[in-house]
Each structure stands twice: as C-alpha cells, then as structure tokens.
Amino acid sequence: MEEIFCDVLIAGGGNAALSAAITAAEKGHSVIVADRAPYHMRGGNTRHTRNLRAMHTNPTNILSDSYTEDEYYEDLIRVTEGNTNDKLARLTIQKSAELTDWLFDRGIKFQGALGGTLSLGRTNAFFLGGGRAMLNALYRTAIKLKVKCLCDTEVLKLNIIDNKFKSAVLKENDIETKINAKAFIIASGGFQGNENWMKEAWGDISKNFLIRGTPYNTGGLIREMLDNNAIQIGEANQCHAVAIDARAPKYDGGITSRLDAVPFGIVVNKDGDRFYDEGEDFWPKRYAIWGRLIASQPEQIGYCIVDSKSINSFMPSVFPAIQADDINSLAKIVNLDPKNLNRTINNFNDSIVEGEFNHTILDNCYTKNINVPKTHWARKIDVAPFYLWPLRPGITFTYLGLKVNENAEVGMKNLTIGNGNIFAAGETMAGNVLGKGYLAGIGMTIGTVFGRLAGEGASNYVSS
Ligand SMILES: Cc1cc2nc3c(=O)[nH]c(=O)nc-3n(C[C@H](O)[C@H](O)[C@H](O)COP(=O)(O)OP(=O)(O)OC[C@H]3O[C@@H](n4cnc5c(N)ncnc54)[C@H](O)[C@@H]3O)c2cc1C
C-alpha cells in the first residue's frame, strides 16, 4: 500500500472541513482534505445551504440593526430547552461575530441584508449564489494555499493508538493508501444517510424518512471514533427534521422540497384528523418541529390542504399540488377516507372566529371549541378548487456525535482533554451545542467556528 505523509488529514469536504483546512494551511502546514463524494457532489450538505447566523452589535452591509450575544443565546436556549454546553454555546455565538469578515476575506460573497417581516436580515447572512458558490470559493482558497483536495476518496479506517491518531487508510476507487498525519480532523457529517443506524435510532418508522441532503454522510467515522474511545455527545434520535413534500427523492432533494403552505391551511394524518396547531407561529420558526410531528403520525405521512383563497400566498411548490373541485375527490386521489376528511374540515370551518387575516403578523383569525386549535391565520377551507400536498419527515442532519472542548479537540475516555491530536467540526460535533431543536443558520455557524478552531488546534499540535 502506498504511504503518504502530511501534517493534517481532514475527513470531509464541506464547510467544516474547508474552514479547518484553510486555517491550518494559512499557518503553513501541509493539509489533505478527503471527501468520499464524487466531484459533482463534493461538499455534502453545505451545497444546500443559504445562510449562517451571526451576532453583531451594529448594522453592517450584510446584516441589519444588531443581534446581540445575549439575544442569540436566549434564542438558542429557547430552541434547545437548555440542552446545550453553555461554554461552547457562548463560544459559538461570540466567534460568529467574526465569520462574515473571515469568509469574505477568503472569497465568499454575501447578499445585502434581507428585508421582510421575519427579521432574517438581522440574524442571518446570506451567501450570494447559495452554499454551492460559498463552497466553490472555499475550495478555490484552499487550493491556492496548496491544500490537497481529494474527491471520491473515503477515509476508511483509523489507526488510533493510546488515544492518539497515527494514520488512516483512504480508499479511492479500489485503491487504498495509508496517510500518516500528525493531527486528524473529522468533519464528515452526521449519520442520517445510514439506513441501519437510523433504524437503530428510530425503529421501523425511519424507512419513511427522507434525507434532505447528501447520501454520503453515513457516520462511519463517528462510529469508528466511538469504538476507539471517543466520548459520545447527543442522542441518536435527536436531529433537525422538517416536513417536506413526500414526493421528494429519498436523498438530496435539498431546499426545493420544502413546502410553505402549512400556516395557510390544515394538516391531517392518514386518518383524516388534524393533530397540531398549524398557526402556532411564523412558519420559519415552526417548520423544524413538523418533521417530528409527522414522524409520530401513522405511517409517517401528513397531508396539507388549502383552498383557493390561499394558493397564491406562499412560495409555489416544486411538485405541483394535487387539486380537486371538492373534498371527496381530493380525498379519493390520496386514499383518505372522504367521510373523515369532510368531518374534519367541517369541524374546523365551524370553529373559526373570523378576524382580519394578515399573514405578515400573528393575526386574530383563530379557532374556538375544537380539540386541536389553530391560533392564527385560521380561515375556512371552503372555496374550490382545493389543493393538497403529501408530507414526510425530511431529515436535515443528526446530532449524535463527538464530545469536544473549546479547541474542538475530541474528548477521549481516560485521557485528559487538551493533549490530543484529534479534532472535530461541523455536524460531527454539532450535538455539543444542539442537544435538541434548531436555530436557522446555526449549522453553518457551528461548522465555520469549530472548523477554524479545529484547524487552529491541529496547527498548534503539529507545531508543538
Ligand atoms: C437542504 C439543507 C439546507 C440547509 N440549509 C442550511 C442553511 O441555510 N444554513 C445553515 O446553517 N445550515 C443549513 N443546513 C445544515 C448545513 O448543511 C450543515 O450544518 C453544514 O453544511 C454541515 O457542514 P459539515 O461540513 O459538517 O458537513 P457536510 O457539508 O455535510 O460535509 C460532510 C462531508 O463529509 C463527507 N464524508 C462523509 N463520510 C466521509 C468519509 N468517511 N470519508 C471522507 N469523506 C466523508 C461527505 O461526502 C460530505 O461531503 C442545511 C442542510 C440541508 C440538508
């Protein structure tokens, strides 16, 4: 087997890996980045992203107003219900303030601050051209710094002795190469692409989950690290899961399979029953809970229904809605019991307290005297034609991963953290910050912050 030597070996090829690679290469170290995906799919879930969440105290040309550390922290505590490592959460937030400048200096372009009522322009910096453009800029910078970027190359087997990384076997096509490196960074994503592991975590129902991103994040290296004494963080069934169009492909449908119709109508399950308040809050604040909600329904399927009053009020769906002139016909197309669906819609229509409909605020259109309330944007479903979209849980990424410290160093059982040469970034360690729940844009923030920390940590180790 051919043997190669370098300072830092990085498994992965997305934002976390590239942020780490650039950081280590800028400090003068030789770096190899290996992504198991083919060239056109390199960069995993990062390809699908649009923004990152960053604190700032004054308006910039990318972010409006201010988004303070405390506000960001409160948002994080709310969504995680306190399931976060406080020190790492604070560190992520504080370091997020540097990210737009750091990325801009390395070729990433941003859009101007977004307008609109959801304040995203205040909290989230949007990549011009999306995640793919962002990723391509990171690769260009890494290559200029002489980082060796490999595609179609899986980091297969780790040789870890006495809790220290020694070497890894890389596989490109059928050719195996041994890489000896002074430090190792694992940035190879979660395990959502691993059907067996998902089944272990969720049981049989996982067969009905769709994976929104890359099929290549299968968690092999997380498993290998855990088998090699690394300390686990996060639970196997914690993840970011949204409701997506059930007709999306099993893998990699990306953001196009998202559906924004829910607050404008109702969602029923296979039995034709409603099961959750569709108008609880603005959709961007709620869409991440609907994946789990649908996962807990019979056969893990839901059906969103709106009438023609609402059809032009949200972003059109990529898959056209199923359409019918009456509820009976609509039910029959998707094998729902027409009697049940009519009953649910009639009960819902009868419960409505009419107000002034306004989808840009938490309006005063709500339901009364009904088991499952709808607290905003409740309007009768009574104007034909009627529209329906089937929904499935869409898994974005899993949270089980590796425990790290504030230098992104992986905690190993029986080793005082601070002496090791193994680091983790991105989805492989996001569970340290996200014990549960999600805050839009924080995935890329965690990846860039800990990618940089991992690159620095590995550099320091190599230099020491
Ligand atoms: C549809 C979608 C939209 C999203 N939008 C946003 C957004 O707008 N903002 C945000 O903050 N987050 C978003 N996220 C989440 C975000 O994509 C992730 O948090 C982030 O990209 C993780 O970066 P990463 O580098 O850890 O992983 P990835 O970018 O997934 O990269 C992991 C890489 O590791 C490779 N790999 C896996 N195993 C191995 C192995 N054994 N050897 C070598 N390589 C391996 C994979 O091929 C992959 O390229 C989105 C996710 C999805 C799916």
Side-chain angles (χ1 to χ4, degrees):
M1 191 186 308
E2 192 192 352
E3 239 179 285
I4 291 178
F5 293 80
C6 69
D7 289 333
V8 184
L9 170 66
I10 304 178
N15 171 51
L18 271 292
S19 298
I22 289 169
T23 304
E26 282 175 351
K27 297 207 183 272
H29 300 298
S30 60
V31 182
I32 295 179
V33 170
D35 189 337
R36 65 181 285 211
Y39 182 83
H40 67 281
M41 295 206 31
R42 71 178 182 179
N45 285 346
T46 302
R47 291 169 302 137
H48 293 297
T49 62
R50 292 179 301 162
N51 57 55
L52 58 77
R53 182 173 285 250
M55 70 155 276
H56 57 107
T57 44
N58 290 303
T60 70
N61 53 353
I62 298 166
L63 293 157
S64 59
D65 300 327
S66 69
Y67 186 45
T68 63
E69 178 183 338
D70 284 345
E71 190 183 353
Y72 198 150
Y73 179 75
E74 276 160 29
D75 285 345
L76 183 64
I77 294 298
R78 186 174 35 78
V79 296
T80 59
E81 294 172 2
N83 282 294
T84 182
N85 175 321
D86 226 48
K87 205 163 155 191
L88 299 184
R90 284 274 179 197
L91 179 70
T92 305
I93 294 168
Q94 287 157 1
K95 291 224 156 253
S96 76
E98 302 165 9
L99 296 188
T100 54
D101 282 349
W102 189 83
L103 289 166
F104 183 81
D105 289 344
R106 283 150 190 85
I108 285 78
K109 297 199 168 55
F110 289 91
Q111 285 177 222
L114 284 197
T117 49
L118 296 172
S119 304
L120 276 179
R122 194 168 69 81
T123 55
N124 288 46
F126 280 73
F127 313 124
L128 188 68
R132 175 79 78 169
M134 187 263 184
L135 194 69
N136 288 343
L138 286 177
Y139 270 103
R140 276 194 297 274
T141 302
I143 287 163
K144 260 193 223 150
L145 290 163
K146 303 208 167 10
V147 174
K148 196 167 177 184
C149 297
L150 308 172
C151 298
D152 261 324
T153 305
E154 184 172 4
V155 179
L156 252 195
K157 186 105 202 82
L158 307 178
N159 178 21
I160 295 172
I161 300 172
D162 292 337
N163 293 321
K164 290 272 165 81
F165 175 85
K166 300 288 175 196
S167 64
V169 175
L170 269 59
K171 189 171 173 194
E172 186 194 4
N173 300 318
D174 279 334
I175 300 166
E176 293 191 352
T177 307
K178 183 176 174 192
I179 309 267
N180 300 286
K182 294 173 191 154
F184 175 57
I185 299 173
I186 168 168
S188 49
F191 70 85
Q192 60 278 0
N194 183 326
E195 279 184 43
N196 290 335
W197 201 343
M198 290 298 281
K199 189 171 170 184
E200 234 175 77
W202 287 86
D204 253 358
I205 65 168
S206 67
K207 68 175 185 294
N208 289 324
F209 296 176
L210 303 175
I211 308 301
R212 300 175 69 212
T214 179
Y216 294 101
N217 288 1
T218 52
L221 290 175
I222 295 179
R223 188 75 99 184
E224 175 123 6
M225 285 297 302
L226 296 177
D227 290 345
N228 269 289
N229 237 0
I231 304 170
Q232 177 181 323
I233 194 83
E235 300 301 324
N237 67 355
Q238 289 301 331
C239 59
H240 182 252
V242 303
I244 61 171
D245 198 306
R247 296 162 293 180
K250 174 76 181 172
Y251 292 104
D252 225 31
I255 52 176
T256 57
S257 57
R258 174 176 164 170
L259 184 72
D260 291 338
V262 170
F264 295 93
I266 59 167
V267 179
V268 299
N269 62 18
K270 190 99 189 97
D271 302 325
D273 295 326
R274 288 177 59 240
F275 50 90
Y276 198 81
D277 180 354
E278 302 88 348
E280 191 177 42
D281 206 339
F282 292 112
W283 185 235
K285 293 193 181 177
R286 278 293 165 273
Y287 88 116
I289 69 168
W290 278 84
R292 263 172 197 280
L293 286 171
I294 290 174
S296 64
Q297 296 306 307
E299 294 179 33
Q300 297 71 55
I301 189 137
Y303 301 91
C304 176
I305 299 167
V306 305
D307 74 2
S308 59
K309 287 196 294 294
S310 303
I311 190 68
N312 293 320
S313 304
F314 48 88
M315 206 155 64
S317 55
V318 163
F319 296 91
I322 294 162
Q323 186 179 332
D325 286 333
D326 59 80
I327 297 297
N328 280 343
S329 313
L330 195 65
K332 280 183 198 151
I333 297 172
V334 290
N335 286 329
L336 288 175
D337 181 338
K339 226 167 58 209
N340 288 356
L341 187 59
N342 269 304
R343 190 198 55 227
T344 297
I345 291 179
N346 290 338
N347 285 347
F348 175 75
N349 288 349
D350 289 346
S351 74
I352 282 167
V353 177
E354 291 200 11
E356 207 171 314
F357 179 81
N358 182 347
H359 68 87
T360 65
I361 57 168
L362 296 170
D363 73 3
N364 60 351
C365 300
Y366 61 96
T367 58
K368 219 165 105 180
N369 301 328
I370 190 165
N371 281 346
V372 179
K374 181 170 181 186
T375 44
H376 304 285
W377 313 300
R379 288 196 296 182
K380 288 185 180 177
I381 296 180
D382 59 357
V383 184
F386 302 96
Y387 301 90
L388 175 150
W389 297 262
L391 297 172
R392 288 264 185 222
I395 311 297
T396 316
F397 66 95
T398 50
Y399 293 172
L400 180 150
L402 307 172
K403 186 178 167 66
V404 295
N405 71 358
E406 60 278 13
N407 297 319
E409 185 188 323
V410 174
M412 305 290 280
K413 292 172 198 156
N414 314 322
L415 180 78
T416 313
I417 199 161
N419 299 319
N421 67 347
I422 307 177
F423 302 83
E427 290 178 4
T428 57
M429 49 61 62
N432 287 270
V433 179
L434 293 167
K436 67 189 285 196
Y438 189 69
L439 209 48
I442 201 167
M444 290 296 278
T445 304
I446 294 171
T448 320
V449 167
F450 279 88
R452 291 179 67 200
L453 289 169
E456 260 164 45
S459 297
N460 291 340
Y461 184 87
V462 172
S463 304
S464 66

